[in-house]
Amino acid sequence: MTEPKSDFLRAIVDRGFLHQATDFEGLDAALCKGPVTAYIGFDCTAPSLHVGSLLQIMILRHLQKSGHKPVVLMGGGTTKIGDPTGRDLSRQMLTEEVIATNKAGIRKVFDKFLTFGDGPTDAVMVDNDDWLSTINYISFLRDFGQHFSVNRMLTFDSVRLRLEREQPLSFLEFNYMILQAYDFLELNRRLKVTLQMGGSDQWGNIVNGVELGRRVDQAELFGLTSPLMTTASGAKMGKTAQGAVWLNAEQLSPYDYWQFWRNTDDADVARFLKLFTELPLGEIARLAALEGAGINEAKKVLATEATTLAHGRDAAIQAEETARTTFEQGGLGGDLPTVEIERTALEKGVGILNLLRQAGLSASNGEARRLIQGGGARVNDAKVEDEALVLDLGALNSDGVIKLTAGKKRHVIVRPV
RNA sequence: GGAGGGGUGGCCGAGCGGUCAAUGGCAGCAGACUGUAAAUCUGCCGGGUAACCCCCUACGUAGGUUCAAAUCCUACCCCCUCCA
């Protein structure tokens, strides 16, 4: 592969976003010629997106920054028939209202990363429900069915692996790749989209779309995939004990988001800096060269930069500041998760087990008890030795709140109201 | 439609009449060591509770047999394989 000439591909390659592409040179040339419109598809099964989608979002951001037009395709139509991947076949179909709500939530996330509008390089969001829901089976078969070879479809990884492992593959699933290919064709017709991007697991779908476009409309389409994201320890990106790492502040506070990045595995830091921040590569190289405890500096930069993209500079700085006072000075930062408690209840006295539960630091009294027995619970930084401990107004610190801690990292402020 | 196999805790997977709240692995939580990392070691890991005492809930669903069932019987639901 030669060094790409277009800004976009150079960024994508240099920062580690590229897995494979169809006609890399052709795409490079097209990107040099003028604005290219490209899309990535997203599910709308949840009211927000989590870190697992961040890689794709960043690609769209780079695309826009280098002068091209990003299209966000919402899979509203495909969501309607449920997601057939995995064994969760019976997953509930979502109603129109839920889908609409989810789309609105997702749109808010994208607003942070992309500039939407009507301009030539402004991002737009579309929903494949607009064309999929009106498909007529007979005419669809006649117009497009002839272009799909089952023999060929059977060779795609997504299908082949399932067959080799003798796992069931429903006809519905088998059709997904056709519908996705059709999305590409439709987007090309409607919005002059000529490039589809996605995770490497989407390669088969993307190639199908490229070929369908060529066969039906003689359109020159391109596809590009990014590596599937895993952490150094092999886990899927974006899952933590508390659940998914959401990109919107309603579901995950900027402080927690910052913490997620701060806790990145050493081995992932350089890679993540390239993928999830927009720092210049030279700066990243400098940070990545830090050794031993010094790498913590790089993690803080990663956390602050990544949080800036999702929540804005101010929120990121505040999260960083809170982390500093909490972790480095043993104080309590103002941005820590806060739980309110009735002042009158506190006057009477609240059991520590109960309080830990209310603060969300343990799921049950038993778990809270175990936490204390294991020596992991602290009140105002003092280890709790007695699980029968009762806290009242006397437990308030000089700030008039109680700082509850579970383990080394989980802090909650309890504030009387 | 016929024959066979199977549904066990977040996941994988033992158990196949009492000693089973259920072996083991993974994941998770806490402690130690550190650097809010990794690896390692230790403890915990259904709920209630003063403690491994007891109570409640749990091995697809609903009944039944038995002093006693995740384990046996019956019906039903679901999944898989083979045959038609």
Side-chain angles (χ1 to χ4, degrees):
Chain A
M1 192 191 305
T2 55
E3 179 72 11
K5 297 179 183 62
S6 61
D7 291 343
F8 175 62
L9 282 187
R10 203 173 321 117
I12 289 302
V13 170
D14 290 348
R15 301 188 84 97
F17 284 96
L18 180 70
H19 183 246
Q20 45 186 348
T22 66
D23 188 11
F24 189 82
E25 280 75 21
L27 175 59
D28 197 32
L31 286 159
C32 286
K33 225 184 291 171
V36 164
T37 306
Y39 85 100
I40 298 181
F42 295 87
D43 214 16
C44 44
T45 48
S48 179
L49 294 171
H50 52 75
V51 170
S53 304
L54 189 56
L55 191 86
Q56 307 304 328
I57 297 174
M58 289 303 292
I59 291 177
L60 286 180
R61 188 174 160 91
H62 283 295
L63 181 85
Q64 186 166 49
K65 277 179 64 176
S66 42
H68 305 283
K69 185 181 183 72
V71 172
V72 177
L73 173 68
M74 297 309 305
T78 25
T79 300
K80 272 192 192 164
I81 55 176
D83 182 355
T85 33
R87 58 199 70 179
D88 202 7
L89 266 167
S90 57
R91 185 195 282 196
Q92 265 212 325
M93 288 165 45
L94 301 174
T95 62
E96 304 263 354
E97 300 84 77
V98 174
I99 292 175
T101 312
N102 290 350
K103 271 166 61 181
I106 290 170
R107 170 59 190 262
K108 277 172 69 182
V109 172
F110 275 107
D111 275 329
K112 304 273 190 188
F113 291 88
L114 301 174
T115 306
F116 285 83
D118 299 322
T121 66
D122 284 343
V124 293
M125 186 180 245
V126 295
D127 185 343
N128 64 5
D129 186 50
D130 291 351
W131 53 87
L132 290 184
S133 60
T134 55
I135 285 178
N136 173 286
Y137 193 58
I138 296 298
S139 52
F140 186 82
L141 276 182
R142 182 194 57 221
D143 294 340
F144 306 109
Q146 59 170 316
H147 299 294
F148 288 94
S149 149
V150 171
N151 311 48
R152 183 104 200 292
M153 285 165 74
L154 291 175
T155 67
F156 283 106
D157 276 1
S158 58
V159 174
R160 206 195 73 232
L161 294 173
R162 295 284 278 282
L163 294 178
E164 279 176 2
R165 291 181 197 144
E166 301 193 342
Q167 287 169 343
L169 175 74
S170 71
F171 187 63
L172 176 75
E173 278 176 88
F174 194 54
N175 273 268
Y176 250 64
M177 67 167 81
I178 293 179
L179 291 181
Q180 291 195 20
Y182 178 64
D183 280 343
F184 198 172
L185 179 74
E186 195 62 35
L187 283 168
N188 176 250
R189 289 177 174 176
R190 291 176 178 232
L191 299 167
K192 302 271 181 293
V193 171
T194 52
L195 169 64
Q196 179 181 186
M197 303 180 288
S200 57
D201 55 331
Q202 296 299 312
W203 178 251
N205 293 327
I206 293 174
V207 169
N208 263 320
V210 169
E211 290 184 1
L212 183 67
R214 186 174 59 230
R215 288 185 184 160
V216 177
D217 288 351
Q218 290 76 49
E220 190 184 23
L221 305 179
F222 303 97
L224 183 154
T225 57
S226 52
L228 230 44
M229 278 310 298
T230 52
T231 65
S233 46
K236 245 187 226 155
M237 259 311 267
K239 296 282 183 191
T240 66
Q242 287 78 33
V245 179
W246 298 103
L247 298 177
N248 62 331
E250 290 76 32
Q251 284 181 81
L252 189 76
S253 71
Y255 169 76
D256 286 325
Y257 190 74
W258 194 92
Q259 283 297 322
F260 167 75
W261 293 106
R262 175 60 183 77
N263 286 309
T264 296
D265 192 312
D266 280 11
D268 287 326
V269 173
R271 197 158 53 103
F272 284 5
L273 279 167
K274 283 197 258 180
L275 294 171
F276 301 117
T277 76
E278 293 181 325
L279 292 174
L281 291 171
E283 172 71 2
I284 291 174
R286 186 187 71 77
L287 289 168
L290 294 171
E291 287 184 5
I295 194 131
N296 283 327
E297 285 312 310
K299 291 187 187 181
K300 287 180 207 167
V301 173
L302 169 64
T304 301
E305 291 301 316
T307 306
T308 297
L309 288 175
H311 299 293
R313 193 95 220 162
D314 292 347
I317 301 277
Q318 208 183 334
E320 182 175 6
E321 197 47 44
T322 292
R324 192 191 318 286
T325 49
T326 306
F327 284 94
E328 293 174 23
Q329 295 161 15
L332 79 176
D335 216 13
L336 289 175
T338 302
V339 169
E340 297 184 338
I341 184 172
E342 300 273 343
R343 186 161 215 107
T344 51
L346 199 57
E347 279 167 4
K348 286 186 206 133
V350 178
I352 181 66
L353 299 180
N354 200 343
L355 202 59
L356 282 168
R357 208 151 42 79
Q358 283 186 44
L361 290 174
S362 57
S364 65
N365 285 352
E367 195 177 306
R369 186 173 287 116
R370 277 178 238 125
L371 184 68
I372 293 170
Q373 283 166 0
R378 275 166 287 159
V379 171
N380 295 326
D381 298 313
K383 191 159 151 189
V384 177
E385 306 282 1
D386 177 13
E387 54 192 63
L389 179 68
V390 173
L391 300 175
D392 54 25
L393 291 174
L396 297 175
N397 65 10
S398 52
D399 292 326
V401 299
I402 299 170
K403 179 186 182 191
L404 274 184
T405 306
K408 272 176 271 192
K409 301 179 192 172
R410 292 147 66 212
H411 307 278
V412 171
I413 292 173
V414 178
R415 186 183 303 281
V417 290

